[in-house]
PDB file of all heavy atoms in Angstrom:
ATOM      1  N   CYS Q 227      46.976 -71.606  -9.722  1.00 96.00           N
ATOM      2  CA  CYS Q 227      45.958 -70.984 -10.572  1.00 96.00           C
ATOM      3  C   CYS Q 227      46.083 -71.467 -12.016  1.00 96.00           C
ATOM      4  O   CYS Q 227      45.067 -71.726 -12.678  1.00 96.00           O
ATOM      5  CB  CYS Q 227      46.056 -69.462 -10.515  1.00 96.00           C
ATOM      6  SG  CYS Q 227      45.477 -68.765  -8.965  1.00 96.00           S
ATOM      7  N   ALA Q 228      47.308 -71.598 -12.517  1.00 96.00           N
ATOM      8  CA  ALA Q 228      47.503 -72.085 -13.889  1.00 96.00           C
ATOM      9  C   ALA Q 228      46.950 -73.499 -14.027  1.00 96.00           C
ATOM     10  O   ALA Q 228      46.242 -73.801 -15.007  1.00 96.00           O
ATOM     11  CB  ALA Q 228      48.984 -72.045 -14.260  1.00 96.00           C
ATOM     12  N   ASP Q 229      47.240 -74.358 -13.072  1.00 96.00           N
ATOM     13  CA  ASP Q 229      46.707 -75.725 -13.114  1.00 96.00           C
ATOM     14  C   ASP Q 229      45.185 -75.726 -13.040  1.00 96.00           C
ATOM     15  O   ASP Q 229      44.520 -76.484 -13.756  1.00 96.00           O
ATOM     16  CB  ASP Q 229      47.276 -76.565 -11.965  1.00 96.00           C
ATOM     17  CG  ASP Q 229      48.751 -76.884 -12.139  1.00 96.00           C
ATOM     18  OD1 ASP Q 229      49.275 -76.747 -13.274  1.00 96.00           O
ATOM     19  OD2 ASP Q 229      49.400 -77.257 -11.140  1.00 96.00           O
ATOM     20  N   PHE Q 230      44.627 -74.886 -12.187  1.00 97.00           N
ATOM     21  CA  PHE Q 230      43.173 -74.802 -12.043  1.00 97.00           C
ATOM     22  C   PHE Q 230      42.523 -74.316 -13.335  1.00 97.00           C
ATOM     23  O   PHE Q 230      41.528 -74.885 -13.800  1.00 97.00           O
ATOM     24  CB  PHE Q 230      42.822 -73.882 -10.864  1.00 97.00           C
ATOM     25  CG  PHE Q 230      41.355 -73.720 -10.623  1.00 97.00           C
ATOM     26  CD1 PHE Q 230      40.572 -74.803 -10.246  1.00 97.00           C
ATOM     27  CD2 PHE Q 230      40.752 -72.478 -10.758  1.00 97.00           C
ATOM     28  CE1 PHE Q 230      39.214 -74.660 -10.022  1.00 97.00           C
ATOM     29  CE2 PHE Q 230      39.395 -72.319 -10.539  1.00 97.00           C
ATOM     30  CZ  PHE Q 230      38.614 -73.413 -10.167  1.00 97.00           C
ATOM     31  N   ILE Q 231      43.082 -73.257 -13.926  1.00 96.00           N
ATOM     32  CA  ILE Q 231      42.543 -72.717 -15.181  1.00 96.00           C
ATOM     33  C   ILE Q 231      42.645 -73.759 -16.296  1.00 96.00           C
ATOM     34  O   ILE Q 231      41.690 -73.959 -17.065  1.00 96.00           O
ATOM     35  CB  ILE Q 231      43.270 -71.412 -15.571  1.00 96.00           C
ATOM     36  CG1 ILE Q 231      42.931 -70.307 -14.563  1.00 96.00           C
ATOM     37  CG2 ILE Q 231      42.898 -70.984 -16.996  1.00 96.00           C
ATOM     38  CD1 ILE Q 231      43.838 -69.087 -14.652  1.00 96.00           C
ATOM     39  N   ASN Q 232      43.783 -74.422 -16.401  1.00 96.00           N
ATOM     40  CA  ASN Q 232      43.960 -75.446 -17.434  1.00 96.00           C
ATOM     41  C   ASN Q 232      43.035 -76.643 -17.217  1.00 96.00           C
ATOM     42  O   ASN Q 232      42.627 -77.293 -18.175  1.00 96.00           O
ATOM     43  CB  ASN Q 232      45.418 -75.892 -17.511  1.00 96.00           C
ATOM     44  CG  ASN Q 232      46.294 -74.820 -18.120  1.00 96.00           C
ATOM     45  OD1 ASN Q 232      45.860 -74.053 -18.978  1.00 96.00           O
ATOM     46  ND2 ASN Q 232      47.531 -74.743 -17.657  1.00 96.00           N
ATOM     47  N   TRP Q 233      42.708 -76.934 -15.966  1.00 97.00           N
ATOM     48  CA  TRP Q 233      41.752 -77.999 -15.678  1.00 97.00           C
ATOM     49  C   TRP Q 233      40.348 -77.575 -16.101  1.00 97.00           C
ATOM     50  O   TRP Q 233      39.595 -78.365 -16.683  1.00 97.00           O
ATOM     51  CB  TRP Q 233      41.794 -78.334 -14.186  1.00 97.00           C
ATOM     52  CG  TRP Q 233      40.782 -79.347 -13.768  1.00 97.00           C
ATOM     53  CD1 TRP Q 233      40.820 -80.690 -13.991  1.00 97.00           C
ATOM     54  CD2 TRP Q 233      39.571 -79.087 -13.045  1.00 97.00           C
ATOM     55  NE1 TRP Q 233      39.704 -81.289 -13.455  1.00 97.00           N
ATOM     56  CE2 TRP Q 233      38.920 -80.322 -12.874  1.00 97.00           C
ATOM     57  CE3 TRP Q 233      38.983 -77.921 -12.539  1.00 97.00           C
ATOM     58  CZ2 TRP Q 233      37.705 -80.436 -12.204  1.00 97.00           C
ATOM     59  CZ3 TRP Q 233      37.783 -78.038 -11.873  1.00 97.00           C
ATOM     60  CH2 TRP Q 233      37.160 -79.272 -11.709  1.00 97.00           C
ATOM     61  N   LEU Q 234      39.982 -76.308 -15.802  1.00 95.00           N
ATOM     62  CA  LEU Q 234      38.661 -75.799 -16.184  1.00 95.00           C
ATOM     63  C   LEU Q 234      38.523 -75.625 -17.698  1.00 95.00           C
ATOM     64  O   LEU Q 234      37.473 -75.929 -18.265  1.00 95.00           O
ATOM     65  CB  LEU Q 234      38.402 -74.429 -15.529  1.00 95.00           C
ATOM     66  CG  LEU Q 234      37.978 -74.383 -14.083  1.00 95.00           C
ATOM     67  CD1 LEU Q 234      37.840 -72.940 -13.623  1.00 95.00           C
ATOM     68  CD2 LEU Q 234      36.667 -75.119 -13.872  1.00 95.00           C
ATOM     69  N   ALA Q 235      39.546 -75.072 -18.311  1.00 95.00           N
ATOM     70  CA  ALA Q 235      39.515 -74.745 -19.739  1.00 95.00           C
ATOM     71  C   ALA Q 235      40.845 -75.155 -20.369  1.00 95.00           C
ATOM     72  O   ALA Q 235      41.749 -74.324 -20.511  1.00 95.00           O
ATOM     73  CB  ALA Q 235      39.257 -73.256 -19.925  1.00 95.00           C
ATOM     74  N   PRO Q 236      40.986 -76.431 -20.756  1.00 94.00           N
ATOM     75  CA  PRO Q 236      42.272 -76.923 -21.264  1.00 94.00           C
ATOM     76  C   PRO Q 236      42.797 -76.178 -22.485  1.00 94.00           C
ATOM     77  O   PRO Q 236      44.009 -76.125 -22.694  1.00 94.00           O
ATOM     78  CB  PRO Q 236      41.979 -78.393 -21.606  1.00 94.00           C
ATOM     79  CG  PRO Q 236      40.740 -78.746 -20.869  1.00 94.00           C
ATOM     80  CD  PRO Q 236      39.976 -77.478 -20.671  1.00 94.00           C
ATOM     81  N   LEU Q 237      41.923 -75.573 -23.268  1.00 94.00           N
ATOM     82  CA  LEU Q 237      42.370 -74.854 -24.464  1.00 94.00           C
ATOM     83  C   LEU Q 237      43.090 -73.545 -24.138  1.00 94.00           C
ATOM     84  O   LEU Q 237      43.737 -72.962 -25.003  1.00 94.00           O
ATOM     85  CB  LEU Q 237      41.187 -74.589 -25.404  1.00 94.00           C
ATOM     86  CG  LEU Q 237      40.531 -75.840 -25.989  1.00 94.00           C
ATOM     87  CD1 LEU Q 237      39.336 -75.465 -26.853  1.00 94.00           C
ATOM     88  CD2 LEU Q 237      41.526 -76.672 -26.772  1.00 94.00           C
ATOM     89  N   GLU Q 238      42.984 -73.074 -22.904  1.00 94.00           N
ATOM     90  CA  GLU Q 238      43.673 -71.834 -22.515  1.00 94.00           C
ATOM     91  C   GLU Q 238      45.192 -72.005 -22.530  1.00 94.00           C
ATOM     92  O   GLU Q 238      45.910 -71.069 -22.806  1.00 94.00           O
ATOM     93  CB  GLU Q 238      43.217 -71.364 -21.128  1.00 94.00           C
ATOM     94  CG  GLU Q 238      41.807 -70.859 -21.080  1.00 94.00           C
ATOM     95  CD  GLU Q 238      41.572 -69.651 -21.951  1.00 94.00           C
ATOM     96  OE1 GLU Q 238      42.381 -68.703 -21.944  1.00 94.00           O
ATOM     97  OE2 GLU Q 238      40.552 -69.655 -22.656  1.00 94.00           O
ATOM     98  N   GLN Q 239      45.671 -73.167 -22.168  1.00 95.00           N
ATOM     99  CA  GLN Q 239      47.098 -73.475 -22.115  1.00 95.00           C
ATOM    100  C   GLN Q 239      47.889 -72.390 -21.371  1.00 95.00           C
ATOM    101  O   GLN Q 239      48.834 -71.795 -21.890  1.00 95.00           O
ATOM    102  CB  GLN Q 239      47.661 -73.692 -23.518  1.00 95.00           C
ATOM    103  CG  GLN Q 239      47.032 -74.877 -24.211  1.00 95.00           C
ATOM    104  CD  GLN Q 239      47.582 -75.113 -25.596  1.00 95.00           C
ATOM    105  OE1 GLN Q 239      48.253 -74.263 -26.164  1.00 95.00           O
ATOM    106  NE2 GLN Q 239      47.301 -76.282 -26.133  1.00 95.00           N
ATOM    107  N   VAL Q 240      47.481 -72.143 -20.146  1.00 96.00           N
ATOM    108  CA  VAL Q 240      48.102 -71.115 -19.311  1.00 96.00           C
ATOM    109  C   VAL Q 240      49.408 -71.652 -18.735  1.00 96.00           C
ATOM    110  O   VAL Q 240      49.487 -72.779 -18.266  1.00 96.00           O
ATOM    111  CB  VAL Q 240      47.148 -70.695 -18.173  1.00 96.00           C
ATOM    112  CG1 VAL Q 240      47.815 -69.697 -17.232  1.00 96.00           C
ATOM    113  CG2 VAL Q 240      45.871 -70.111 -18.742  1.00 96.00           C
ATOM    114  N   LEU Q 241      50.431 -70.814 -18.776  1.00 96.00           N
ATOM    115  CA  LEU Q 241      51.743 -71.141 -18.206  1.00 96.00           C
ATOM    116  C   LEU Q 241      51.984 -70.295 -16.963  1.00 96.00           C
ATOM    117  O   LEU Q 241      51.565 -69.134 -16.900  1.00 96.00           O
ATOM    118  CB  LEU Q 241      52.853 -70.863 -19.217  1.00 96.00           C
ATOM    119  CG  LEU Q 241      52.807 -71.645 -20.525  1.00 96.00           C
ATOM    120  CD1 LEU Q 241      53.882 -71.126 -21.472  1.00 96.00           C
ATOM    121  CD2 LEU Q 241      52.993 -73.127 -20.267  1.00 96.00           C
ATOM    122  N   LEU Q 248      50.455 -66.674 -17.921  1.00 95.00           N
ATOM    123  CA  LEU Q 248      50.650 -66.326 -19.329  1.00 95.00           C
ATOM    124  C   LEU Q 248      49.886 -67.268 -20.243  1.00 95.00           C
ATOM    125  O   LEU Q 248      49.868 -68.479 -20.018  1.00 95.00           O
ATOM    126  CB  LEU Q 248      52.128 -66.405 -19.698  1.00 95.00           C
ATOM    127  CG  LEU Q 248      53.082 -65.452 -18.995  1.00 95.00           C
ATOM    128  CD1 LEU Q 248      54.523 -65.836 -19.293  1.00 95.00           C
ATOM    129  CD2 LEU Q 248      52.810 -64.037 -19.424  1.00 95.00           C
ATOM    130  N   SER Q 249      49.299 -66.696 -21.270  1.00 94.00           N
ATOM    131  CA  SER Q 249      48.705 -67.471 -22.357  1.00 94.00           C
ATOM    132  C   SER Q 249      48.751 -66.592 -23.599  1.00 94.00           C
ATOM    133  O   SER Q 249      49.214 -65.451 -23.548  1.00 94.00           O
ATOM    134  CB  SER Q 249      47.263 -67.871 -22.034  1.00 94.00           C
ATOM    135  OG  SER Q 249      46.397 -66.763 -22.158  1.00 94.00           O
ATOM    136  N   LYS Q 251      46.267 -65.272 -24.827  1.00 94.00           N
ATOM    137  CA  LYS Q 251      45.204 -64.275 -24.665  1.00 94.00           C
ATOM    138  C   LYS Q 251      45.468 -63.257 -23.560  1.00 94.00           C
ATOM    139  O   LYS Q 251      44.859 -62.197 -23.542  1.00 94.00           O
ATOM    140  CB  LYS Q 251      43.882 -64.976 -24.380  1.00 94.00           C
ATOM    141  CG  LYS Q 251      43.406 -65.868 -25.497  1.00 94.00           C
ATOM    142  CD  LYS Q 251      42.128 -66.557 -25.094  1.00 94.00           C
ATOM    143  CE  LYS Q 251      41.705 -67.515 -26.166  1.00 94.00           C
ATOM    144  NZ  LYS Q 251      42.071 -68.879 -25.903  1.00 94.00           N
ATOM    145  N   SER Q 303      42.034 -66.643 -10.547  1.00 96.00           N
ATOM    146  CA  SER Q 303      41.678 -67.431 -11.729  1.00 96.00           C
ATOM    147  C   SER Q 303      40.558 -66.752 -12.512  1.00 96.00           C
ATOM    148  O   SER Q 303      40.598 -66.695 -13.743  1.00 96.00           O
ATOM    149  CB  SER Q 303      41.255 -68.846 -11.324  1.00 96.00           C
ATOM    150  OG  SER Q 303      42.312 -69.506 -10.666  1.00 96.00           O
ATOM    151  N   TYR Q 306      41.874 -63.840 -14.419  1.00 96.00           N
ATOM    152  CA  TYR Q 306      42.548 -64.243 -15.658  1.00 96.00           C
ATOM    153  C   TYR Q 306      41.543 -64.280 -16.811  1.00 96.00           C
ATOM    154  O   TYR Q 306      41.793 -63.737 -17.892  1.00 96.00           O
ATOM    155  CB  TYR Q 306      43.224 -65.620 -15.525  1.00 96.00           C
ATOM    156  CG  TYR Q 306      43.573 -66.174 -16.880  1.00 96.00           C
ATOM    157  CD1 TYR Q 306      44.716 -65.748 -17.546  1.00 96.00           C
ATOM    158  CD2 TYR Q 306      42.706 -67.050 -17.535  1.00 96.00           C
ATOM    159  CE1 TYR Q 306      45.002 -66.209 -18.825  1.00 96.00           C
ATOM    160  CE2 TYR Q 306      42.985 -67.503 -18.805  1.00 96.00           C
ATOM    161  CZ  TYR Q 306      44.135 -67.084 -19.448  1.00 96.00           C
ATOM    162  OH  TYR Q 306      44.396 -67.516 -20.719  1.00 96.00           O
ATOM    163  N   PHE Q 307      40.389 -64.920 -16.581  1.00 96.00           N
ATOM    164  CA  PHE Q 307      39.379 -65.007 -17.629  1.00 96.00           C
ATOM    165  C   PHE Q 307      38.833 -63.629 -17.999  1.00 96.00           C
ATOM    166  O   PHE Q 307      38.544 -63.354 -19.167  1.00 96.00           O
ATOM    167  CB  PHE Q 307      38.238 -65.945 -17.218  1.00 96.00           C
ATOM    168  CG  PHE Q 307      38.617 -67.389 -17.269  1.00 96.00           C
ATOM    169  CD1 PHE Q 307      38.844 -68.102 -16.100  1.00 96.00           C
ATOM    170  CD2 PHE Q 307      38.758 -68.047 -18.479  1.00 96.00           C
ATOM    171  CE1 PHE Q 307      39.200 -69.438 -16.136  1.00 96.00           C
ATOM    172  CE2 PHE Q 307      39.115 -69.382 -18.536  1.00 96.00           C
ATOM    173  CZ  PHE Q 307      39.344 -70.084 -17.361  1.00 96.00           C
ATOM    174  N   ALA Q 310      41.424 -61.934 -20.132  1.00 95.00           N
ATOM    175  CA  ALA Q 310      41.551 -62.612 -21.425  1.00 95.00           C
ATOM    176  C   ALA Q 310      40.365 -62.328 -22.343  1.00 95.00           C
ATOM    177  O   ALA Q 310      40.547 -62.198 -23.557  1.00 95.00           O
ATOM    178  CB  ALA Q 310      41.686 -64.122 -21.206  1.00 95.00           C
ATOM    179  N   TYR Q 311      39.165 -62.218 -21.782  1.00 96.00           N
ATOM    180  CA  TYR Q 311      37.967 -62.117 -22.620  1.00 96.00           C
ATOM    181  C   TYR Q 311      37.198 -60.805 -22.502  1.00 96.00           C
ATOM    182  O   TYR Q 311      36.445 -60.464 -23.409  1.00 96.00           O
ATOM    183  CB  TYR Q 311      37.029 -63.295 -22.326  1.00 96.00           C
ATOM    184  CG  TYR Q 311      37.658 -64.604 -22.739  1.00 96.00           C
ATOM    185  CD1 TYR Q 311      38.277 -65.417 -21.797  1.00 96.00           C
ATOM    186  CD2 TYR Q 311      37.662 -64.998 -24.063  1.00 96.00           C
ATOM    187  CE1 TYR Q 311      38.877 -66.609 -22.173  1.00 96.00           C
ATOM    188  CE2 TYR Q 311      38.256 -66.189 -24.460  1.00 96.00           C
ATOM    189  CZ  TYR Q 311      38.871 -66.989 -23.508  1.00 96.00           C
ATOM    190  OH  TYR Q 311      39.469 -68.166 -23.889  1.00 96.00           O
TER     191      TYR Q 311
END
Side-chain angles (χ1 to χ4, degrees):
C227 287
D229 290 343
F230 180 64
I231 292 166
N232 288 328
W233 176 75
L234 281 177
L237 296 177
E238 290 298 315
Q239 297 180 346
V240 176
L241 299 173
L248 297 170
S249 75
K251 297 178 184 99
S303 299
Y306 164 80
F307 286 106
Y311 295 99

